[in-house]
Amino acid sequence: MANNYRSPFSTRYSSEEMKYNFSDEKKFKTWRQLWVYLAKAEKELGLQITNEQVRELEENLENLDLKAAEEEEKLTRHDVMAHVHVYARSCKTAAPIIHLGATSCYVGDNTDLITIRDGLDILLPKVATCINRLANFAEQYKSLPTLGFTHLQPAQLTTVGKRACLWIQDFLMDERALSRARADLRFRGVKGTTGTQASFLTLFDGDETKVIQLDKLVTKMAGFESTFSVCGQTYPRKLDVEIVAALSGLGATAHKMCTDLRILASMKEIEEPFEKSQIGSSAMAYKRNPMRSERCCALSRHLITLYNNAANTAAVQWFERTLDDSANRRITLSEAFLCADALLITLMNVVEGLVVYPKVIERHINEELPFMATENIIMAMVKAGGDRQVCHERIRVLSQEAGAQVKLLGSNNDLVDRIKADSYFEPILSNLENILDPATFIGRAPNQVSEFISVEVNPILSKYKGKMIDKPVVLNI
């Protein structure tokens, strides 16, 4: 057992690909790759850099010695220069041109942007997978009536599938926010100490055209289409706010859906997957606790709170930059992505195996529907020649009597039996079964589901063809 703290994201929840995305290995390899890009671009634009120097940098790109860099940082108190020194030891010929003209944020911030881009590319297919699996669920149960709830009180009927579409709609908004954030990403590029590119202007003897070209070349090599036109020492921390806001929004969506599922599980209408060997409670052996949905809610709350960190950090970046962003961002950005990843892994597992209990749902409908059907009964009596006001009073009295049976005596709702026993309602008794058919209370819900999936869901999913997760998700713990 480890004798020091380890993040639950690393040990329990997040995927290997996301953990690697925020690993030291990827981070410092990316630093070295950025130094290679810079050297190549500077050489191409005429600086005295040789093919041998570039080749030496490339050959040692993955020759990391993290222990040596750690020891060097203890001496220099500067992480970037520590890695420059260690890289230089392996690249004797190229040592003089490593990091030429650059500031620390050249590698630090540009690496963060690459990591953010790659993190979004990991998350978006998982969001699409959740949407796809929920859409299949919605289509399957689009016509199954269920009690709607407003104020957590029984309301007009909807369908199981229509309710799922409400969850999907929120996830579609998350996909849009994350996709927009991905599309809007720009590279910091090659900007120098305070963003003026003064050091590079000196290197190129005042040739602005070459400085501009250097920025474009490195940006292209890193896989970005554009760069920030202006920045201080760092890329704008407002970008972090946009990214974490989109991820926090995903947390809000997941929390709402999983809270609904937890309530439905309490009502025994819908359950998340429950494995044969799974134990619900150490004391109460019969229990089937919605632990996956509870985990999603727990992770979601943490994800939502991270937004404040990003916003507050952006708010206090004085002038061209301050360093009080660094420690906070190390935690906030990584945890936002690792948390979102862990959340989506659990969600994919939940939505691929939801279990619906139609008979329980039907029983709950039957307990409430007689009260909800009173207006339909009144309308049917009026059509049969009755007086609306007289019928309303009859129904009111019978409803109060039936309500007392339910609330005071704990008995079943016997309103229908009372109506059948009242001769006043004789004209509609032969049609009473049809009047009380739950399918007549769900409006356009089934067609709304099909239209929604066709018009709004499928076009989004088409972007992720071949990228979604097509196999069952197995949770580690």
Side-chain angles (χ1 to χ4, degrees), residues 274-285 287-289 291:
F274 195 92
E275 297 166 22
K276 290 183 178 179
S277 60
Q278 183 174 331
I279 296 174
S281 168
S282 61
M284 295 166 281
K287 293 192 76 177
R288 292 169 66 96
N289 299 332
M291 55 80 62

Side-chain angles (χ1 to χ4, degrees), residues 128-145:
T129 300
C130 288
I131 292 171
N132 184 51
R133 291 177 177 176
L134 278 173
N136 293 335
F137 176 84
E139 185 66 37
Q140 181 180 357
Y141 293 102
K142 66 182 180 182
S143 299
L144 180 61

Side-chain angles (χ1 to χ4, degrees), residues 213-347:
Q213 192 61 24
L214 177 69
D215 198 12
K216 291 181 178 179
L217 280 173
V218 173
T219 296
K220 184 176 180 181
M221 289 177 184
F224 285 77
E225 295 182 3
S226 62
T227 182
F228 284 101
S229 299
V230 295
C231 65
Q233 189 172 91
T234 68
Y235 72 74
R237 297 311 185 219
K238 182 72 173 181
L239 183 142
D240 293 346
V241 178
E242 291 183 351
I243 297 296
V244 180
L247 296 174
S248 294
L250 175 65
T253 295
H255 200 292
K256 183 265 189 291
M257 185 191 83
C258 289
T259 300
D260 286 352
L261 288 174
R262 291 164 66 187
I263 295 171
L264 290 168
S266 175
M267 297 163 59
K268 297 181 174 58
E269 291 192 358
I270 298 179
E271 288 182 345
E272 64 181 36
F274 195 92
E275 297 166 22
K276 290 183 178 179
S277 60
Q278 183 174 331
I279 296 174
S281 168
S282 61
M284 295 166 281
Y286 63 88
K287 293 192 76 177
R288 292 169 66 96
N289 299 332
M291 55 80 62
R292 292 166 172 82
S293 296
E294 290 172 312
R295 176 185 296 180
C296 287
C297 288
L299 292 171
S300 293
R301 287 199 301 276
H302 180 61
L303 186 53
I304 290 167
T305 63
L306 290 174
Y307 173 78
N308 284 336
N309 270 344
N312 285 321
T313 296
V316 298
Q317 289 302 288
W318 306 339
F319 301 113
E320 280 64 50
R321 79 94 39 107
T322 60
L323 194 60
D324 61 347
D325 65 333
S326 179
N328 189 290
R329 292 178 69 253
R330 288 176 191 268
I331 300 167
T332 298
L333 285 176
S334 58
E335 289 213 348
F337 277 90
L338 288 163
C339 188
D341 182 65
L343 175 60
L344 287 167
I345 290 170
T346 312
L347 279 173

Side-chain angles (χ1 to χ4, degrees), residues 134-184:
L134 278 173
N136 293 335
F137 176 84
E139 185 66 37
Q140 181 180 357
Y141 293 102
K142 66 182 180 182
S143 299
L144 180 61
T146 189
L147 282 176
F149 284 86
T150 60
H151 313 276
L152 201 54
Q153 303 300 312
Q156 192 176 67
L157 301 191
T158 182
T159 70
V160 171
K162 172 63 188 301
R163 176 177 286 146
C165 287
L166 301 181
W167 303 331
I168 295 170
Q169 185 162 248
D170 287 351
F171 280 115
L172 289 176
M173 296 173 72
D174 295 320
E175 189 280 335
R176 182 182 65 191
L178 291 167
S179 291
R180 284 177 176 172
R182 173 68 173 84
D184 288 346

